[in-house]
Structure formats: structure tokens, C-alpha cells
Amino acid sequence: MGRIGEENATIAVMGATGSGKTTFINLASNSSLPTSDGLRSCTEVVTATTPFDIDGRRVVLVDTPGFDDTVRSDSDILKLIADFLASSYKDGHKLAGLLFLHRISDFRMGGISLKNFRAFRKLCGEQTLRNVVLVTNMWGSVNPQVGAQREQELLTQDDLGFKSALEKGAKMMRHDGSGQSVSDILRYILGNNNPMALQIQREIVDERKDVSQTAAAAEIERELRAERERQKAEAERIRLEMEAAARARAEQARRQLEAEAWRIQQEVARIEAERRRAQEQMERERLERERLILAQEEARRIEAARIQREHELALAEQRRVAEEARRRQMEEEERLRIALSQVPRRKKKRGLRRLFG
């Protein structure tokens, strides 16, 4: 995506796949970014809208893929988002705010939503939560009383994550699908008028960390390890059930459990492969840094050798010039001595008088 002008108020929109980020952005900006009603993600890159006006302010919304993307790993998604944020920060541009969209129609805040929100918290950092709006979305898909009850749970239950964020300055607002609610949410962000650098921007640009060394990357790695342990525990449970089913000669149940065990085994293998890819990426980045350092040292060594050679050549030239001058002087003195030796004594005296006054 292109560079965003400093005069624009830039707001990033994040959340799980299918939470309605792109639909929200299209409604706010009158854009036509692609959306999907299925389980596959349509947002494959970080995409910015054309600037539009809100109460005389020029606003740009940035659409981001969710960390549960159907095509790429969470590490790849983090790299995409981090590259955009670091590039903007290097240009001296800070986000005016961030929106995190959550479906109020979800029966509960499940693992995917929690994973996205935890990564979002680590990416933002605690100090920037004052610029965050937690947007509950898709109110038209749920009974109003049920939605209000779920909203209250988000406000009061610590284990869901919203409560602590709200206590540190975040704001929770409803998006009921109307243009008015979209405008209200954006006006709230613009009213803060306190752009701040995100934690991941400070880590990458100010502290010169790799993406793999950031707090958000550590959270993703922690989630991967936890998911792997859950999958292993589930595999062990299924193994024990398979043994019990075999003893009871429940052949049909055993076949079903074997299929489930195979699926979990594949999932564990995928998670492990993703973890290995992340480690390999870290190693490649380390080797590249070492290569650059060695190249710089070699360039300095070559330059120092060149300067030394030039210095030695200059000294040699100075010695040659001095030697040539000395030789000429000696030749001139010898010529005078011979000339004087050939002049009669009286003329020699007159000649000396002429020479020495």
C-alpha cells in the first residue's frame, strides 16, 4: 500500500476473520473492498481506504487480516501488520486510533476471538489503550436482550479480556449496522486527538528488534505452545478412549476415534511446522545481520589498506624528489670545484671575489 500522508487521521481496524472489519470500513468510507460471508478471509494484505471527510477531518481506515487467517500463519500476518506499522512510524506518522471488532452474535468469546484480542493487546501496548475502541458488531443477528447480556459480560468478566482493557482507558461502543453508529465511533477516536506510537512500533523502530522479538510475536508463540499442549492432551484422551473402545470391541467407535486422532496429529504437525518456520526465520535474520556486519568490517579494512598504500607512495615520492635535489646539488658543487681547480691562482682569487662579493 502507498504512504499515508501526515495530514490524514489514520485508524487501523482489527479483529478476527469474519468479525465485519471490511464491511464496517466500506460503510464508513463508501469503499468497495471485497468481503466474504464464508469462513475464508478476504483481507489478504494491509489495505488503506482513500481519504474521506469526517467533520472536516481527512480520515483513512486501514483494513488488516485476522490472526486466524485461512491461508497464512499467524506469524505471517503479524509480519504484514508490523511492516506497515513500522514503515508508517519511520515516516513520523502515528495512528489516531485503533478499532477492535467483536461479534456480539457469538455465543461466547471463544478461543479464536481471545487469541486475536490478546495479540492485539500486545501489539498496541498498555499505554495506547486510550486510543482503542472495542466495537461490538452484528447486533442485528441477535436478540437485543441476549446481546445486552453478552455486552454486560464483556464489561464485567475478567477472563474475557475486555474488562482490564477498559479499565486502562479503552472504550467499548456498539455498531448496529447503521452509518450513524459508524460516524459516532470515528468521531470518538478523532475527539481523542492524542496519536501515540504502538508498542510494536517502538520495539521495531526505536529498540531495533526483529518482528520475532516483539511482545506480539511472543504472545503468538505462547498461543501456539498452548494449542499444541491442548492438542496433545486431546490426543491422549482419544488414545485412552480408543483402548477402551477396543477392549469393548466397539469397532465403529474405534474407527471414528482413529479418524479424529489422525486429524489432531495433522494439526499438531502443522503447529510444529509453523513453529519451526518461525525459528528458521529468526535464524535467517540473525545470519543476515552477521553477514552485513562482516561486509562492513571488510569494507573498512580495504579502505584502510588503500589509504596506507597511498600514504606509502606519497612518502616514496617525497624521498625520490629529495634524493634528486641532493644529487643535483652534489653535481653542481663538483662542477664548480673542477672549474675552480683549472683557473690560475690570481684569476681564481678574482673569480672568488666575484662569486662571494
Side-chain angles (χ1 to χ4, degrees), residues 50 62 155 170 174 237 314:
T50 301
V62 179
L155 287 168
R174 293 185 183 185
R237 180 189 66 79

Side-chain angles (χ1 to χ4, degrees), residues 97-241:
L98 299 98
L99 307 180
F100 182 87
L101 269 64
H102 170 68
R103 293 184 297 255
I104 200 67
S105 57
D106 287 355
F107 178 74
R108 59 187 298 274
M109 192 165 182
I112 291 176
S113 295
L114 280 172
K115 180 179 72 173
N116 272 270
F117 187 65
R118 287 168 181 159
F120 174 81
R121 286 279 298 267
K122 294 297 183 181
L123 185 145
C124 294
E126 300 300 298
Q127 293 181 345
T128 58
L129 287 173
R130 293 190 299 273
N131 291 345
V132 169
V133 175
L134 308 176
V135 179
T136 53
N137 196 21
M138 300 187 180
W139 282 85
S141 302
V142 68
N143 180 283
Q145 291 181 341
V146 173
Q149 181 180 351
R150 293 175 183 171
E151 183 182 54
Q152 188 62 24
E153 290 174 356
L154 292 172
L155 287 168
T156 58
Q157 294 187 13
D158 290 330
D159 58 339
L160 300 181
F162 276 25
K163 182 175 182 290
S164 64
L166 294 168
E167 289 172 346
K168 294 179 179 180
K171 175 80 169 178
M172 189 159 73
M173 300 180 72
R174 293 185 183 185
H175 171 45
D176 59 9
S178 68
Q180 182 61 49
S181 65
V182 168
S183 298
D184 291 343
I185 292 167
L186 297 182
R187 286 191 177 100
Y188 175 83
I189 288 286
L190 297 175
N192 279 346
N193 197 28
N194 184 32
M196 298 177 66
L198 305 183
Q199 178 169 327
I200 198 168
Q201 292 175 316
R202 296 194 304 271
E203 288 174 324
I204 293 175
V205 179
D206 297 339
E207 300 173 23
R208 300 184 181 277
K209 291 182 178 180
D210 296 324
V211 174
S212 57
Q213 297 172 314
T214 61
E219 177 61 23
I220 289 174
E221 173 67 14
R222 188 195 67 78
E223 286 283 354
L224 283 172
R225 289 197 301 268
E227 180 63 22
R228 184 176 58 181
E229 291 303 316
R230 286 192 294 270
Q231 295 288 354
K232 286 182 177 179
E234 181 68 7
E236 179 63 15
R237 180 189 66 79
I238 292 173
R239 185 186 66 79
L240 294 174
E241 290 182 6

Side-chain angles (χ1 to χ4, degrees), residues 325-336:
R326 188 177 67 81
R327 183 185 63 78
R328 289 179 179 177
Q329 182 180 1
M330 291 177 63
E331 288 177 353
E332 181 64 18
E333 290 174 355
E334 180 63 16
R335 185 185 65 78
L336 289 173

Side-chain angles (χ1 to χ4, degrees), residues 1 8 61 89 106 124 169 173 248:
M1 59 170 290
N8 297 323
L61 296 182
Y89 186 50
D106 287 355
C124 294
M173 300 180 72

Side-chain angles (χ1 to χ4, degrees), residues 41-54:
S41 171
C42 274
T43 304
E44 297 181 353
V45 295
V46 179
T47 307
T49 66
T50 301
F52 60 96
D53 288 333
I54 294 286

Side-chain angles (χ1 to χ4, degrees), residues 235-301:
E236 179 63 15
R237 180 189 66 79
I238 292 173
R239 185 186 66 79
L240 294 174
E241 290 182 6
M242 286 174 59
E243 291 177 355
R247 287 191 297 269
R249 300 183 182 278
E251 186 63 21
Q252 182 178 1
R254 185 184 65 81
R255 285 196 298 267
Q256 292 175 345
L257 290 171
E258 283 180 345
E260 181 66 4
W262 181 87
R263 182 191 65 78
I264 292 174
Q265 183 181 6
Q266 294 297 108
E267 182 66 9
V268 170
R270 182 191 67 78
I271 293 170
E272 186 62 28
E274 180 174 328
R275 186 170 180 273
R276 283 198 303 271
R277 285 196 299 272
Q279 291 176 338
E280 290 168 359
Q281 177 66 24
M282 290 173 62
E283 180 64 14
R284 285 194 296 270
E285 291 173 353
R286 183 186 67 79
L287 291 174
E288 178 63 16
R289 288 196 302 273
E290 292 178 353
R291 185 191 68 77
L292 289 174
I293 290 171
L294 289 174
Q296 291 169 354
E297 290 176 350
E298 179 64 12
R300 287 194 293 269
R301 185 190 66 76

